[in-house]
Amino acid sequence: MSRLLLFIALFTTPLFSAARPNIVVIMVDDLGFSDIGCYGSEIETPNLDRLAANGLRFSQFYNTAKCHSSRVSLLTGQYCIAAGDIALTHAVTSAEVLQDAGYFTAMTGKWHLKKEPTDFGFQRYWGHLSGACNFFKGDSTFRFNGESWEVPKSDFYTTVANVDFALKFLEESRKASDPFYLYLAFNAPHAPLHALPGDYSKYKGRYDAGWDEIRDARISRQKELGILPKNLKPSPRPPHVRAWDKIVPWQQKYEINRMVTLAAMIDRVDQEIGRLIKDLVENQELDNTLILFVSDNGACPYDRRKPLLNVEPTNGNTFLGDSTGWAWARNSPFRYYKQNQFEGGISSPGIVHWPAGLTSKPGAISHTPVHLIDVLPTLADVTQSKIPKTHPTRSLHPVSGTSLAPIFKSKPIWRKAPLHFQFGKDFGLRDGNWKAVSFKGEKWELYDLSTDRTELKNLARKHPERLKKMIGQWQLISQHVLHSPELANPNISLTRKPRKNHEW
């Protein structure tokens, strides 16, 4: 080949090969750590279980303990405040990065940030901008490609519609030769608790034993699965959750109804993921599609509704609220809940499925601590995309996450700084196996998660210098990464026990 022809060949060859993977990122809402089968649940989730069996699971995949901040971190690779919070004024999204790299970008489901997905790189969008809505009736924030969309008066259920539109977008993407990026953000199983009639009927009678027995069974399965060490000591039932046999019959009946509904909602999410997987198989795309499944926070304990007795929440006029007792069981084996930076608030199921890209053993479990901030760097890495350092209208901050691609090949990752956690006055820092954590701005605690993942033995008095150093690290990250001087110097109060919340 002449030098001229070689020059022409080099500069007319596509920058990326046709082998770049398709991307599907699935985020569920308020799902507890043990809420799916491959993480110990009795709820039937065969599609997610198959993804796990043929893919990779994480035992320490962290979120931010809150809906909106987890979405910011997943999309931008940054901590929420650093990214400009829900306005995303200091960040670019994964959709913008992958669109610039030639990907077809689409999203369905819950947005919960400012503006709309179509303002941040998603070429197609269907879903609701709100943080939660009636699953049968929706709300006024539904959008379809930037335009208002009216929810049908009947035969509508948000979880099903999410995948209906996802499949339409994928079909549209196949008309071009570009790979696709689909972000599927289910609102389930976030309250209001609503289930389709058939799903609801399926779980009647399964929760009559109550949360104590269900939690024990889940922990036992988690140990059998290898998600938890066999010698792990579960956190005890907290004072604000009563023993099941101490609850009067009408309360038991009400609580059973709530968990039946939650199980049905989670089952339906799995069924819809099954429809998506079937479509990928039929189009011969599953092998080279990277699928990531995560939750935005732990189970929600906020019991905000008066008991509603003798009802079936299977239509738009009747719904139930969250249950504190069941949230404790669903976050097995950890302490606390959504909005808290203890493991119960920030630990998510994390599944990666990518036959063409994973060289780890099928069904492998990674015990490496990872975080939602790692999603964007990972997607950029595996798609050969570039995360920009400048933007025409936004002042960008650097991403804080790291690519998880080495883990896909059973190799270690390197993290330049400890993992930082914060929502409201709940704080945390994960540095190696050590974790410092503060509940509602109370005195910092210290745990060695290598032997105490359930945070039962506070080592603050035994290792005061280590704790002091970690608090200093948390403050430095708050100051220089989150750019929040106020957050870097919080007022720390004395610990009050038992810990209470008026909504528990």
Side-chain angles (χ1 to χ4, degrees):
M1 183 181 290
S2 69
R3 289 186 177 182
L4 177 60
L5 290 176
L6 177 61
F7 179 87
I8 293 172
L10 285 173
F11 286 89
T12 56
T13 299
L15 182 61
F16 301 113
S17 72
R20 286 187 299 161
N22 299 309
I23 304 292
V24 175
V25 174
I26 303 171
M27 176 171 271
V28 284
D29 204 347
D30 289 6
L31 187 83
F33 182 72
S34 68
D35 268 344
I36 59 177
C38 53
Y39 280 78
S41 182
E42 69 295 328
I43 299 170
E44 297 178 29
T45 56
N47 296 295
L48 286 168
D49 296 348
R50 278 193 291 270
L51 291 181
N54 295 303
L56 173 69
R57 272 172 294 173
F58 290 89
S59 66
Q60 301 186 73
F61 200 118
Y62 287 124
N63 52 55
T64 72
K66 182 64 175 176
C67 297
H68 75 270
S69 53
S70 283
R71 291 156 209 283
V72 171
S73 290
L74 179 144
L75 289 169
T76 69
Q78 296 189 50
Y79 298 112
C80 183
I81 295 175
D85 212 309
I86 60 175
L88 306 180
T89 50
H90 301 299
V92 292
T93 70
S94 51
E96 291 171 308
V97 171
L98 268 63
Q99 182 186 25
D100 287 346
Y103 272 71
F104 177 93
T105 59
M107 175 185 172
T108 66
K110 170 177 169 176
W111 179 236
H112 206 203
L113 306 176
K114 281 194 173 181
K115 296 185 177 179
E116 300 186 20
T118 47
D119 296 311
F120 290 98
F122 287 103
Q123 297 161 309
R124 303 291 185 272
Y125 172 67
W126 176 89
H128 56 100
L129 307 179
S130 57
C133 69
N134 188 302
F135 281 79
F136 291 97
K137 294 183 176 181
D139 61 23
S140 63
T141 72
F142 275 77
R143 299 290 184 270
F144 182 36
N145 294 337
E147 302 293 333
S148 294
W149 188 84
E150 186 175 348
V151 177
K153 300 296 184 183
S154 61
D155 298 324
F156 177 82
Y157 187 73
T158 306
T159 303
V160 175
N162 282 331
V163 174
D164 286 342
F165 279 88
L167 296 180
K168 291 179 181 179
F169 293 153
L170 293 189
E171 186 61 31
E172 187 176 351
S173 78
R174 294 176 184 123
K175 297 177 182 178
S177 58
D178 298 332
F180 60 78
Y181 168 39
L182 171 66
Y183 171 36
L184 176 52
F186 288 107
N187 201 182
H190 192 294
L193 305 188
H194 266 151
L196 289 171
D199 300 335
Y200 176 84
S201 297
K202 180 178 179 180
Y203 286 91
K204 284 185 176 180
R206 296 204 192 186
Y207 292 97
D208 294 0
W211 47 58
D212 291 303
E213 287 193 23
I214 293 296
R215 188 174 193 264
D216 288 346
R218 288 190 177 193
I219 293 169
S220 179
R221 281 192 291 272
Q222 288 172 320
K223 292 181 178 181
E224 292 173 3
L225 291 167
I227 294 293
L228 301 176
K230 291 189 181 299
N231 62 352
L232 178 136
K233 184 178 180 180
S235 61
R237 180 169 20 82
H240 59 267
V241 175
R242 285 178 290 168
W244 185 257
D245 59 10
K246 301 298 181 184
I247 301 175
V248 297
W250 73 263
Q251 290 175 312
Q252 288 184 344
K253 187 176 181 181
Y254 173 57
E255 292 290 359
I256 289 168
N257 199 12
R258 292 205 272 192
M259 191 60 215
V260 166
T261 310
L262 279 161
M265 295 171 77
I266 295 166
D267 187 305
R268 174 51 55 179
V269 167
D270 184 79
Q271 291 182 56
E272 295 308 310
I273 291 173
R275 275 209 299 147
L276 176 63
I277 294 170
K278 181 182 177 182
D279 181 75
L280 296 175
V281 170
E282 289 175 348
N283 287 279
Q284 300 181 340
E285 294 167 337
L286 183 64
D287 281 356
N288 199 31
T289 297
L290 189 160
I291 301 174
L292 171 66
F293 174 88
V294 291
S295 177
D296 62 355
N297 45 250
C300 181
Y302 300 117
D303 198 345
R304 293 167 173 161
R305 290 182 59 81
K306 293 180 179 180
L308 193 60
L309 306 179
N310 302 316
V311 298
E312 293 194 356
T314 55
N315 59 75
N317 299 320
T318 305
F319 62 90
L320 304 175
D322 285 308
S323 163
T324 305
W326 284 117
W328 167 69
R330 294 167 58 209
N331 287 337
S332 304
F334 304 127
R335 300 168 68 193
Y336 299 109
Y337 322 96
K338 175 181 180 178
Q339 298 190 14
N340 306 132
Q341 304 300 337
F342 284 84
E343 295 293 285
I346 59 176
S347 296
S348 168
I351 302 171
V352 173
H353 184 274
W354 183 21
L358 291 176
T359 60
S360 55
K361 183 179 178 181
I365 299 174
S366 171
H367 300 292
T368 301
V370 300
H371 192 286
L372 289 174
I373 58 172
D374 300 328
V375 174
L376 173 57
T378 303
L379 300 188
D381 190 357
V382 302
T383 63
Q384 307 170 54
S385 306
K386 185 177 180 180
I387 302 173
K389 295 182 179 180
T390 61
H391 189 275
T393 62
R394 303 172 218 157
S395 176
L396 303 186
H397 292 151
V399 299
S400 291
T402 189
S403 174
L404 303 180
I407 296 178
F408 299 167
K409 301 182 182 299
S410 303
K411 296 180 180 179
I413 60 171
W414 178 82
R415 195 175 296 281
K416 60 186 176 182
L419 292 172
H420 183 282
F421 299 94
Q422 177 271 332
F423 176 74
K425 292 185 177 181
D426 281 88
F427 314 135
L429 186 89
R430 174 79 189 254
D431 187 6
N433 287 322
W434 291 91
K435 182 179 175 185
V437 62
S438 169
F439 177 87
K440 300 298 179 186
E442 294 179 2
K443 198 171 181 179
W444 285 87
E445 301 170 26
L446 180 67
Y447 298 95
D448 179 359
L449 298 191
S450 66
T451 58
D452 184 22
R453 179 83 191 280
T454 47
E455 300 166 301
L456 300 180
K457 189 176 181 181
N458 182 7
L459 301 176
R461 290 186 179 181
K462 187 175 181 180
H463 298 285
E465 291 304 314
R466 180 182 292 275
L467 179 59
K468 181 179 178 181
K469 179 182 177 182
M470 292 182 69
I471 295 171
Q473 289 175 303
W474 186 88
Q475 292 173 319
L476 284 172
I477 295 172
S478 298
Q479 174 79 43
H480 298 293
V481 179
L482 276 66
H483 303 277
S484 176
E486 181 180 359
L487 181 61
N489 296 282
N491 292 320
I492 300 298
S493 60
L494 295 176
T495 300
R496 292 168 289 181
K497 290 187 177 181
R499 285 170 171 158
K500 299 179 180 179
N501 185 305
H502 70 280
E503 292 183 312
W504 289 353

